[in-house]
C-alpha cells in the first residue's frame, strides 16, 4: 500500500540506527533487568516487520504486542529463544492457536488463567504465561483477591511456568505523582504471591523512575521510537521518524481571501500560500488548524484554514519569493519539529500521532549501522 517516493504526497523516513541507539541507551539504564520492546499497533505505526529485526540485532529478546493477530503477523521475525507476549490477554477459543505458535499470553483474569491451565493439563505439557495483576490502574489484570486465588491453585503452579508477573503504571510520565509509589507497593505485594517469577512493571517512563521500578523485565515502547517519556529530560531520545510533505500548489492571495473548508481563515493582508499533499487521512489531526505548522529552510510555515482529508494549506509568506517550488518537500516532523512538538500543537500525545501515520506515505528505512559486515566485505 505504501507509495513509491517520487509520486507519494509525503515521505516517511524511519531511522533504524536511531531506534537501535534508543534501545541500547534504555537497556543500559535498566540493566541488569532485560529490556523488552513493545511493538503493538505495528510498532507504533512504524512497521513491525522492519522494527522487530532491528531490535533483534540490538539484542532485544522480549516482544510485546496487544493482540494475538499482531503476534501471529510478526512471529516469523522473532527468533527462537526470544519471547512474544500478548498484552490484551487470551480470547476464549484462541488457546490452541496461541499455544501452537509458542506465543505467551498475558493472563488478565481467573477465567483466562483457568483455560490456559486446562489446556496445559490436557496436552500434558507446561504452557508458559505471564500473569498481570492490577496495581491501581483499573484497566487490565487480576484483582488482589483473584491473584491470591490463582497463586493457591496447585495445578496452575505446576502446569503454567510464569515468564513474568506484570502490572502497568498509570502515571509513569509524571515522576512526581504519588500514585507511582502506591502502584509500586501494591505490585510488590501481589508479585510476592508468585515467588520466583520475574517482575515487570516499568514502561518507558517507568524505566526512568528509579531502580525500584525496573524489576527483571522492563517494557519500553515510545522512547524507542524517539519520543520522550517524560518532560524535561536532560538528554532527549534520538528522533526516529522524519515526515516530509510535498508542495502541490503555490498561490498568492489578496487581503480578505478565505482559505479552506468553511473559509475559516481569511488572509489579513496579501499572503503567499502553499498547499501540501497531506491531510487528516494521513493522520494529521484536524486540530492543527491555527496551531500547527510545517517548516522549510528553518522557517516556520503556519497552517492556515482547516486541514482537509488529503491536503492542507500553509502560509509561506516568510520565505523569500521563489524559495519554494511545486514538488518541493517541507518538513512536518523533523529537526525543527519533533513528534512531541507536533503532538503538543495538536493537543494530543506522540503515541497518537505515530500510530495514526497513514498508509499512503512513501516509506524509507535508514538501516541500522552495522559496521562489521561492511569491514569484512572490504577485507
Ligand atoms: C503500551 C504499553 C507499554 C509501553 O508503554 P510506553 O509508554 O510506550 O513505553 C508497556 N506496557 C504495557 C502494558 C502497555 O500497554
Amino acid at each position: 500500500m505504501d507509495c513509491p517516493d517520487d509520486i507519494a504526497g509525503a515521505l516517511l523516513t524511519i531511522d533504524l540506527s536511531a531506534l537501535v541507539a534508543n534501545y541500547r541507551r534504555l537497556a543500559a539504564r535498566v540493566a541488569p533487568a532485560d529490556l523488552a520492546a513493545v511493538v503493538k499497533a505495528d510498532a507504533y505505526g512504524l512497521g513491525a516487520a522492519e522494527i522487530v529485526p532491528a531490535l533483534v540485532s540490538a539484542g532485544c529478546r522480549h516482544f510485546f504486542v496487544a493482540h494475538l493477530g499482531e503476534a501471529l503477523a510478526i512471529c516469523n521475525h522473532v527468533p527462537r529463544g526470544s519471547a512474544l507476549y500478548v498484552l490484551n490477554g487470551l480470547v476464549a477459543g484462541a488457546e490452541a492457536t496461541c499455544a501452537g505458535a509458542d506465543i505467551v499470553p498475558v493472563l488478565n483474569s481467573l477465567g483466562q488463567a483457568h483455560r490456559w491451565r486446562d489446556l496445559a493439563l490436557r496436552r500434558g505439557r507446561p504452557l508458559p504465561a505471564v500473569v498481570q495483576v492490577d496495581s491501581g490502574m483499573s484497566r487490565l489484570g487480576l484483582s488482589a483477591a483473584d491473584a491470591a486465588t490463582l497463586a493457591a491453585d496447585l495445578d496452575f503452579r505446576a502446569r503454567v511456568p510464569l515468564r513474568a508477573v506484570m502490572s502497568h503504571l498509570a502515571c509513569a510520565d509524571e515522576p512526581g505523582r504519588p500514585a507511582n509509589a502506591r502502584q509500586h507497593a501494591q505490585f510488590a505485594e501481589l508479585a510476592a504471591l508468585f515467588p520466583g517469577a520475574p517482575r515487570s512493571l516499568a514502561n518507558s517512563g517507568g524505566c526512568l523512575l528509579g531502580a525500584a521500578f525496573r524489576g527483571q523485565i522492563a517494557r519500553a515502547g515510545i522512547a524507542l521510537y524517539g519520543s520522550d517519556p517524560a518532560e524535561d529530560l536532560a538528554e532527549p531520545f534520538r528522533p526516529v521518524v522524519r515526515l516530509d510533505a510535498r508542495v502541490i500548489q503555490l498561490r498568492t492571495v489578496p487581503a480578505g481571501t478565505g482559505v479552506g473548508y468553511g473559509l475559516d481563515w481569511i488572509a489579513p493582508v496579501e499572503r503567499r500560500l502553499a498547499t501540501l499533499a497531506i491531510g487528516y487521512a494521513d493522520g494529521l489531526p484536524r486540530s492543527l488548524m491555527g496551531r500547527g505548522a510545517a517548516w522549510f529552510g528553518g522557517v516556520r510555515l503556519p497552517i492556515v484554514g482547516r486541514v482537509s482529508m488529503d491536503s492542507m494549506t500553509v502560509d509561506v509568506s516568510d520565505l523569500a519569493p521563489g524559495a519554494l517550488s511545486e514538488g518541493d518537500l517541507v518538513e512536518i516532523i523533523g529537526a525543527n519539529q519533533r513528534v512531541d512538538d507536533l503532538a503538543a500543537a495538536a493537543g494530543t500525545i506522540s503515541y497518537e500521532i505515530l500510530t495514526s501515520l497513514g498508509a499512503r506515505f512513501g516509506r524509507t528505512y535508514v538501516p541500522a549501522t552495522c559496521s562489521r559486515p561492511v569491514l569484512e566485505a572490504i577485507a
Side-chain angles (χ1 to χ4, degrees):
M1 201 152 36
D2 295 344
C3 199
D5 286 0
D6 50 343
I7 58 169
L11 305 183
L12 190 63
T13 309
I14 295 159
D15 184 350
L16 297 175
S17 64
L19 171 86
V20 164
N22 290 337
Y23 179 83
R24 294 209 167 115
R25 171 177 165 191
L26 213 50
R29 178 84 180 235
V30 301
D34 283 351
L35 183 61
V38 180
V39 294
K40 61 196 180 188
D42 201 23
Y44 290 39
L46 303 188
E50 305 278 348
I51 297 290
V52 169
L55 290 170
V56 168
S57 77
C60 185
R61 294 293 175 262
H62 305 267
F63 295 90
F64 284 87
V65 293
H67 299 278
L68 180 56
E70 293 181 319
L72 294 169
I74 65 166
C75 58
N76 289 342
H77 298 292
V78 175
R80 205 174 278 278
S82 300
L84 183 51
Y85 312 87
V86 176
L87 288 166
N88 273 5
L90 187 60
V91 174
E95 297 82 8
T97 307
C98 194
D102 284 330
I103 292 163
V104 182
V106 173
L107 304 172
N108 288 321
S109 69
L110 276 182
Q112 292 176 15
H114 292 160
R115 285 188 278 108
W116 194 243
R117 172 203 64 194
D118 292 347
L119 183 66
L121 286 168
R122 282 202 304 279
R123 300 236 166 134
R125 70 171 175 105
L127 288 178
V130 169
V131 164
Q132 177 157 219
V133 294
D134 176 24
S135 60
M137 188 177 179
S138 313
R139 187 176 73 169
L140 288 170
L142 296 157
S143 66
D146 285 351
T149 302
L150 186 60
D153 183 326
L154 295 182
D155 279 334
F156 182 82
R157 292 171 71 146
R159 293 296 168 170
V160 181
L162 289 189
R163 293 284 183 258
V165 54
M166 67 167 273
S167 193
H168 192 47
L169 295 166
C171 308
D173 55 335
E174 298 175 85
R177 292 280 292 269
N180 290 321
R182 279 203 303 273
Q183 279 200 265
H184 177 265
Q186 178 69 359
F187 177 61
E189 200 174 312
L190 297 183
L193 294 168
F194 303 93
R199 298 181 185 193
S200 178
L201 178 61
N203 61 347
S204 297
C207 290
L208 307 180
L209 284 179
F213 285 82
R214 289 170 201 155
Q216 280 78 51
I217 305 174
R219 311 179 305 270
I222 200 72
L224 307 181
Y225 308 119
S227 168
D228 292 337
E231 279 174 17
D232 302 326
L233 290 193
E235 190 195 339
F237 282 84
R238 267 180 62 182
V240 172
V241 174
R242 177 177 176 96
L243 178 61
D244 297 284
R246 199 179 299 281
V247 175
I248 49 173
Q249 192 157 33
L250 290 157
R251 74 180 69 249
T252 300
V253 299
T257 308
V259 173
Y261 283 119
L263 304 178
D264 276 353
W265 187 82
I266 309 281
V269 293
E270 183 181 281
R271 297 271 88 181
R272 281 181 288 120
L273 305 178
T275 301
L276 310 179
I278 189 168
Y280 62 77
D282 301 296
L284 228 55
R286 287 181 79 244
S287 56
L288 285 172
M289 171 188 174
R291 300 166 67 184
W295 289 78
F296 186 79
V299 176
R300 188 175 185 274
L301 312 175
I303 296 171
V304 293
R306 294 187 199 165
V307 174
S308 296
M309 185 186 292
D310 319 296
S311 64
M312 66 179 189
T313 303
V314 294
D315 185 339
V316 301
S317 308
D318 286 346
L319 292 174
L324 201 61
S325 307
E326 199 176 302
D328 282 348
L329 293 168
V330 300
E331 173 190 320
I332 305 293
I333 298 171
N336 294 286
Q337 180 160 265
R338 290 173 60 100
V339 63
D340 298 296
D341 302 327
L342 188 72
T348 182
I349 51 174
S350 54
Y351 301 73
E352 193 177 25
I353 298 286
L354 291 179
T355 56
S356 304
L357 292 173
R360 296 190 294 191
F361 299 137
R363 277 190 187 224
T364 304
Y365 289 88
V366 178
T369 31
C370 174
S371 48
R372 211 178 326 121
V374 173
L375 289 177
E376 277 166 9
I378 292 168

